[in-house]
């Protein structure tokens, strides 16, 4: 094959510009490794005049990404617009309908419309790849879809939002409050325009839903991901966790059991000595556990121009080499609808709550836990809070189901001694 | 494609039996993920009567692996015999000549004959894959060849011999001597029949030479790997390294500079807080650094039935899906002969030597180092050894080239004060 592979790139932000740079500056390397030249035919973005640090003069400029997607002079449509709907979706559909292969970095698009797009790609004999959508430069989609394909996956875990990990790391290492660390991340430009996408766990949840689909052969079901952001994690929680040998991470976990598919993205305690516990700053990590391979850990930069463009180009080069895979690693028609299940694997939980400072308060809480079948492993009550009449209490439970814990938590208001809503974090064996 | 993919498996040791089990027990999973059945037509091994924990009754038994390799009823020859020459080589060549794709776990074969085999595969339009040859279940060949293909690789590092890492970990954590830890590994069955393959760094060196070829588009050149085993690492070295915040690992490093291709497999000090420094026991780790992606870390089981069979089957499933790649990620005809180069990147070194216990001895050593341009960062001399008239001295140098260090080491005998040969370990920034 010496025919050039012709790209049409829509979206010329940081990642788009990075992709253009690689295609221009590494033409010989790309051709040596794939056996054919990789070229850009046309590009599209909202603002034609923006300085992007790379020349676009030799490419056709197309204002409408949908028109770009269906052009005769492109083989692969590279979608870097972003957003779950709107032009990203319209252009991706147009490309597939026109028989073009698609490479995208768009986790929101696939989390919301992955199944329909996979079916469309399959019907048209096209390839739809998305390595850059999950954990940036880490080739985790490839590892899960291809390298570990002979495994029944027993669990996938991941720290996949660098901004959250940065905030939690700063709270721990610099002793900042959540608000201070959040502001710092904001000033550094780490936060999405809507910060809730980051700190609410939505962005990481999108990614987890894609990994679940590949791992378990199920239809992407982002809406079934149990989402909990990091906004309620306090510096005190981080200190207490550290005292017990744990660190707090916004951790995605998915596993398939007899009850259904569990997908959760929530702050969890992980052992400080585990690979996940040792992860600092903006780095991402995905842990894949398979029945044959045991535990595989993948770590690297989860965002940024170079890493994300590296992942986009890895997909493009696969296509140039003639590799043609199903979107989620199995034909779309075979992907099953999974029954969403609450996390049922018993785990210990970390609880923090404030009690009214009255005799017998703790006994009432202990009784409520006991009635729900939740037993206490460790308990720590410390002196009255300076600002109020409340007394903070920390409890680590023995292994329990989420269901039993929720029953116990639901009973807390009735005790009449618990102020506000307790913080409950799962302790995940990692 | 619904035609079955038919395997012929030669070598039915632990890994071979593991592959047979996966094919038998996961038939539905493999077919769902690849779109076609994967079946075994024929098998071959030395001992037909051995109990392997899996039924072979439905497969043709062929005594001669070369005859198996060329059979009409196989599409893929799976070579799990082992050894750089002999039947493994003969059968692999026979398979390729007969137009069969080959999947192998044989690092020695590829380290010694990789270029010739890659050329043969290419001439015959066949695929030759070897994920299982490097770092067991970790999909590192795939990551480097495919996922990170758009990167110019700046460095690859790896701890790729679980036995050596086990021995070093036990010396550190249990305070064992090298000999005690070696014996323990031997009793646990961790050592190769020829232990020098493990502790001499040969096995890990084979693996490094394969990674170099992919990373830099060069012909495999195992003979150019600078090899140093772990036999001279003492418990004292491990303690001293720990005091300074380092751990000692048998570390493979390759990089391409203007002077040529550096490949070294030797015990090195790495920061205790780095991913490599945190690696315990028999686990493997490969670190890939690329100009776009930054640092990617891959970690997992480097050996064993399940992990290795997982890697073999990953390659088989790629072939079933129609993925066809060049052996080393670029056409064999394009792979360049690299000029071997000594590690030229300046690094600090850790030196341990025994001096005669006489006034002025240390000054002579310091002078010899200084004359070669090696300057001392830290120095520690402790009391006379109980058994002899020698005094152990530890030196950490400032950054220096290996060349300057070798000049200094060559001058040590002339000082007349150095007993035996100094231990010199590079401190690798990781």
């Amino acid at each position: 094959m010496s025919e050039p592979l012709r790209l049409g790139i829509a979206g010329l932000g940081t990642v788009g510009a990075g992709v253009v740079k690689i295609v221009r500056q590494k033409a010989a390397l790309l051709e040596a490794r794939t056996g054919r030249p990789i070229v850009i035919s046309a590009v599209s973005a909202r603002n034609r005049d923006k300085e992007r640090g790379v020349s676009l003069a030799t490419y056709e400029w197309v204002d409408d990404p949908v028109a770009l997607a269906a052009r005769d002079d492109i083989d692969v449509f590279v979608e870097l617009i972003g957003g779950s709907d709107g032009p990203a979706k319209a252009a991706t559909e147009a490309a597939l309908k026109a028989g073009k292969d698609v490479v995208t970095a768009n986790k929101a698009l696939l989390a919301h419309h992955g199944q329909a797009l996979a079916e469309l790609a399959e019907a048209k004999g096209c390839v739809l790849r998305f390595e850059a959508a999950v954990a940036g430069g880490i080739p985790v989609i490839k590892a899960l879809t291809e390298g570990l394909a002979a495994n029944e996956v027993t669990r996938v875990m991941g720290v996949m939002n660098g901004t959250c990990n940065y905030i939690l790391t700063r709270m721990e290492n610099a002793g900042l409050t959540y608000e201070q660390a959040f502001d710092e991340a904001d000033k550094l430009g780490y936060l999405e325009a809507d910060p809730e996408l980051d700190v609410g766990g939505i962005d990481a949840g999108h990614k987890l839903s894609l990994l679940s689909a590949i791992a378990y052969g199920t239809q992407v079901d982002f809406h079934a991901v149990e989402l909990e952001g990091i906004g309620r994690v306090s510096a005190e929680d981080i200190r207490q966790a550290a005292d017990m040998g744990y660190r707090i991470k916004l951790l995605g976990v998915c596993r398939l059991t007899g009850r259904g598919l569990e997908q959760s993205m929530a702050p969890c305690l992980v052992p400080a000595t585990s690979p996940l516990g040792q992860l600092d700053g903006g780095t991402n990590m995905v842990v894949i556990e398979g029945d044959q391979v045991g535990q595989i850990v993948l770590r690297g930069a989860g965002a940024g121009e170079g890493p994300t463009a590296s992942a986009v180009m890895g997909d493009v080069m696969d296509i140039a080499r003639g590799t043609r895979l199903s979107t989620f690693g199995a034909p779309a028609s075979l992907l099953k609808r999974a029954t969403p299940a609450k996390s049922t694997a018993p785990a210990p939980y970390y609880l923090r709550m404030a009690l009214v400072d009255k005799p017998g308060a703790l006994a009432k809480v202990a009784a409520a836990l006991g009635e729900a079948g939740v037993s206490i492993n460790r308990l720590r009550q410390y002196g009255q809070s300076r600002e109020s009449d409340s007394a903070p209490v920390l409890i680590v439970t023995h292994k329990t189901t989420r269901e039993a814990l929720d029953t116990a938590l639901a009973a807390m208001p009735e005790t009449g001694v618990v102020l506000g809503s307790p913080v409950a974090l799962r302790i995940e064996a990692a």
Side-chain angles (χ1 to χ4, degrees), chain A:
Chain A
M1 292 191 292
S2 54
E3 287 283 294
L5 184 79
R6 303 163 302 170
L7 312 182
I9 303 175
L12 293 168
T14 312
V15 177
V19 169
V20 175
K21 283 179 205 164
I22 292 177
V23 172
R24 292 180 71 92
Q25 293 162 9
K26 292 184 191 287
L29 183 83
L30 304 186
E31 184 170 348
R33 288 182 176 166
T34 64
R36 59 196 291 199
I38 295 175
V39 300
I40 297 169
S41 295
V43 297
S44 173
R46 268 183 303 195
N47 179 351
R48 189 163 182 167
D49 301 322
K50 191 173 142 188
E51 174 50 45
R52 295 180 166 92
V54 61
S55 168
L56 304 169
T58 53
Y59 315 131
E60 285 284 325
W61 183 280
V62 185
D63 285 321
D64 177 7
V66 175
L68 171 69
R71 280 174 71 99
D72 286 340
D73 63 356
I74 73 165
D75 304 304
V76 180
F77 178 63
V78 181
E79 188 278 299
L80 303 170
I81 303 166
S84 63
D85 293 272
K89 178 162 177 269
T92 299
E93 288 171 346
L96 294 173
K97 282 179 186 159
K100 313 296 182 186
D101 294 329
V102 174
V103 172
T104 177
N106 191 332
K107 55 225 97 173
L109 174 68
L110 286 168
H112 288 279
H113 308 292
Q115 180 63 23
L117 291 171
E119 287 172 9
L120 178 57
E122 202 165 296
K124 292 292 181 175
C126 298
V127 158
L128 169 60
R129 307 304 305 154
F130 57 95
E131 183 65 79
V134 179
I138 308 174
V140 57
I141 299 294
K142 181 169 278 291
L144 195 57
T145 313
E146 304 170 48
L148 307 176
N151 286 267
E152 287 177 57
V153 176
T154 47
R155 182 171 60 162
V156 179
M157 296 187 288
V159 171
M160 296 182 288
N161 183 285
T163 305
C164 287
N165 205 45
Y166 176 84
I167 289 172
L168 293 171
T169 302
R170 289 292 290 164
M171 288 172 71
E172 176 159 3
N173 296 349
L176 305 184
T177 64
Y178 173 77
E179 290 71 22
Q180 288 168 331
F182 180 96
D183 287 347
E184 194 179 273
D186 196 17
K187 274 178 197 134
L188 289 165
Y190 290 177
L191 284 162
E192 301 264 358
D194 174 5
E196 196 57 21
L197 285 174
D198 285 317
V199 298
I202 299 167
D203 164 81
H206 286 154
K207 296 168 183 168
L208 184 72
S209 71
L210 303 181
L211 295 178
S212 296
I214 301 168
Y216 301 110
T218 50
Q219 299 184 7
V220 184
D221 190 4
F222 166 67
H223 296 291
V225 178
E226 295 178 66
L227 279 183
E228 189 183 328
I230 61 170
R232 293 194 66 208
V233 176
S234 70
E236 180 62 21
D237 294 326
I238 288 174
R239 267 193 302 274
Q240 293 293 340
D243 278 357
M244 296 186 290
Y246 293 97
R247 297 184 73 195
I248 298 178
K249 300 287 169 191
L250 177 66
L251 186 69
V253 181
C254 63
R255 55 162 84 78
L256 187 68
T257 73
R259 301 200 197 194
L261 178 65
E262 301 172 7
Q263 301 181 86
S264 80
M265 179 60 68
C268 290
L269 278 69
V270 295
T273 54
S274 66
L276 284 164
Q278 289 164 351
L279 192 69
D280 273 332
T283 311
N284 278 204
M285 183 176 283
V286 178
V287 178
I288 303 170
E289 293 172 351
D291 63 342
Q292 299 297 318
V293 80
Q295 188 184 73
I296 293 286
V297 179
L298 309 167
R299 172 189 163 127
E305 175 182 321
T308 313
S310 167
V312 168
M313 286 306 300
D315 281 345
V316 167
M317 293 173 78
D318 273 357
I319 293 171
R321 284 163 158 165
T323 301
R324 302 198 70 77
L325 301 173
S326 301
T327 308
F328 295 103
S333 54
L334 292 184
L335 300 174
K336 296 182 208 85
R337 261 179 203 281
T339 313
K342 274 222 160 191
S343 304
T344 49
Y349 282 81
Y350 164 99
L351 306 177
R352 177 171 53 82
M353 58 187 86
L355 305 189
V356 296
D357 198 17
K358 282 184 188 161
L362 200 53
K364 285 187 182 170
V365 167
L369 287 167
E371 269 166 42
V374 177
S375 72
I376 295 173
N377 180 12
R378 300 199 221 182
L379 184 149
R380 186 164 165 198
Q381 182 170 27
Y382 28 137
Q384 193 179 309
S385 157
R386 259 169 272 164
E387 295 98 47
S388 68
D389 279 343
S390 74
V393 171
L394 296 167
I395 293 170
V396 175
T397 73
H398 281 291
K399 275 192 180 182
T400 180
T401 63
R402 181 78 214 191
E403 206 178 350
L405 187 80
D406 285 347
T407 304
L409 292 174
M412 289 299 161
E414 294 161 29
T415 63
V417 299
V418 178
L419 299 164
S421 165
V423 167
L425 306 176
R426 197 170 72 250
I427 302 180
E428 184 79 23

